[in-house]
Amino acid sequence: MAMANGSPGVSALLQRDLRRGAGLLGLSLALALAVNAFRSDPLPLRYQPPAERLSRVLAELGAGSTAPAQATLPETTLEEVRAISEGRKPGLLLDARPSLFYETGTIPGAENLSRETLRDDYPRLLPRLQAAQAASPSTPLVVFCSGSDCEDSVLVASALARLGHRSVTLFKGGWDAWEAAGYPTFVPEEKEPEQP
Amino acid sequence: MKLPPWFLRLAEWAFAAVFLIAGASKLSQPLAFADSVAAFRLLPSQAIAPLALGLPVFEIVTALCLLLRRWRSAALLVLTLLSAIFLFALLQARARGIAVDCGCFGDWMKTSPSVAIGRAFALLACGTALYRRAINLS
């Protein structure tokens, strides 16, 4: 509906802008598909959830097909994690968060075994995993991520179990619980743990 | 209250910059953004990858239109509607007890759901005010 002075009304402007917006959307989708086609690692047009992607990686690594249910994975307490970190108890801490977060700070002594880059991280860490359990297979491999809402620790712990490792445990409280407790943190490129 | 034109232009640039940064961040990590979209449990799986690919580019293209003042009011409308959609997605996730980071700025800037909701609401309010001004001046 036009205004009395001949300028288009709000409704007409809204319709015009919605049409232009639809045009921008179409242009964007075409550009997006073109950009994706030229990526070195294009995103598949069929989405695969993290668990499914991890299963493919595990198959490439030669893992067994049976994953333990989350309920069967034992849990480790904050105090036990601290004891392992300080060397008072045997064990190996594994940070399942993406490397971006690991590199900004982690629990002292933790190695990065990220769900996202397991294909590369696992072969690199395998000697360390084997060495940790060489003296005793019951030495715990403690997996954590950001906190109780993060599923990456469960996925990585299950992956380790499928790859034949024993004594895999979960630290559900994760990095959030460690930070909240005020314990020392470790930034990988630094040599000494940072005191809070 | 009549605001000076330079202030409104600065507000539009800031509004556009937020979406430009958000879009570029998500574009650099399409898989992480796809996982964030899936975590909302709002869309069928077939829609997740197209959205994860298209939305960041849509944000960048629209933000550039606003910065270059091409189809300015259309760009403002689109970005305002996107803010409304983000806010709806976050609120429904909270209502359903789904703990999720909106993934709005990719993995580089994960925030708590409350912060994400506050941010989306602020963007919606800002976009609405700017769009209303834009069409009054058209």
Side-chain angles (χ1 to χ4, degrees):
Chain A
M1 185 175 111
M3 305 289 278
N5 60 5
S7 61
V10 171
S11 175
L13 289 172
L14 198 55
Q15 286 178 39
R16 179 202 67 184
D17 289 340
L18 283 171
R19 279 197 302 273
R20 287 178 171 176
L24 287 175
L25 179 60
L27 171 67
S28 300
L29 280 173
L31 272 175
L33 289 172
V35 166
N36 194 52
F38 284 101
R39 277 184 194 273
S40 57
D41 189 14
L43 183 73
L45 291 183
R46 189 185 82 80
Y47 174 69
Q48 289 184 318
E52 198 177 314
R53 298 199 301 267
L54 192 59
S55 280
R56 275 196 14 238
V57 171
L58 289 177
E60 291 172 18
L61 291 172
S65 57
T66 307
Q70 179 180 346
T72 69
L73 288 168
E75 293 187 25
T76 306
T77 63
L78 177 62
E79 291 71 31
E80 286 170 338
V81 169
R82 188 179 185 192
I84 294 171
S85 174
E86 293 175 351
R88 291 184 281 115
K89 276 186 145 183
L92 181 60
L93 301 174
L94 299 167
D95 189 339
R97 297 176 300 161
S99 61
L100 172 70
F101 297 98
Y102 172 79
E103 285 162 9
T104 59
T106 188
I107 298 174
E111 295 284 356
N112 191 207
L113 185 61
S114 165
R115 189 262 307 156
E116 288 182 352
T117 53
L118 194 84
R119 182 188 281 113
D120 297 325
D121 288 346
Y122 180 74
R124 173 178 58 82
L125 280 177
L126 184 56
R128 185 105 156 83
L129 295 169
Q130 292 170 334
Q133 295 187 318
S136 169
S138 63
T139 300
L141 303 177
V142 182
V143 187
F144 67 94
C145 56
S146 58
S148 54
D149 289 334
C150 170
E151 67 166 354
D152 282 357
S153 58
V154 176
L155 291 173
V156 169
S158 299
L160 286 173
R162 282 176 63 178
L163 286 161
H165 295 278
R166 288 182 280 176
S167 306
V168 181
T169 71
L170 286 171
F171 173 38
K172 292 300 291 282
W175 174 245
D176 290 347
W178 183 270
E179 267 200 314
Y183 294 151
T185 62
F186 176 66
V187 180
E189 64 262 21
E190 294 180 8
K191 289 193 168 33
E192 295 297 323
E194 282 185 14
Q195 298 295 328
Chain B
M1 181 175 78
K2 193 162 175 60
L3 294 169
W6 64 263
F7 181 83
L8 291 172
R9 188 163 298 187
L10 205 60
E12 285 184 8
W13 283 350
F15 188 62
V18 168
F19 284 93
L20 200 58
I21 293 167
S25 178
K26 292 196 283 283
L27 191 63
S28 67
Q29 301 174 303
L31 190 56
F33 181 50
D35 287 340
S36 292
V37 171
F40 280 91
R41 298 184 226 163
L42 255 184
L43 298 173
S45 60
Q46 300 89 335
I48 291 173
L51 180 72
L53 288 172
L55 180 60
V57 176
F58 192 34
E59 286 180 309
I60 292 169
V61 166
T62 312
L64 285 174
C65 282
L66 184 55
L67 284 172
L68 298 173
R69 297 176 78 78
R70 305 291 299 179
W71 286 5
R72 174 173 152 256
S73 61
L76 281 168
L77 177 63
V78 165
L79 297 180
T80 303
L81 289 174
L82 283 179
S83 301
I85 291 168
F86 295 152
L87 183 60
F88 168 74
L90 289 163
L91 289 173
Q92 69 84 36
R94 169 165 273 193
R96 292 164 67 194
I98 300 170
V100 66
D101 171 74
C102 86
C104 299
F105 290 85
D107 264 359
W108 307 102
M109 201 188 305
K110 284 189 175 289
T111 55
S112 69
S114 300
V115 169
I117 288 171
R119 186 174 58 205
F121 187 79
L123 286 172
L124 176 60
C126 179
T128 303
L130 288 172
Y131 182 65
R132 288 184 62 181
R133 286 235 176 234
I135 59 175
N136 283 341
L137 290 173
S138 294

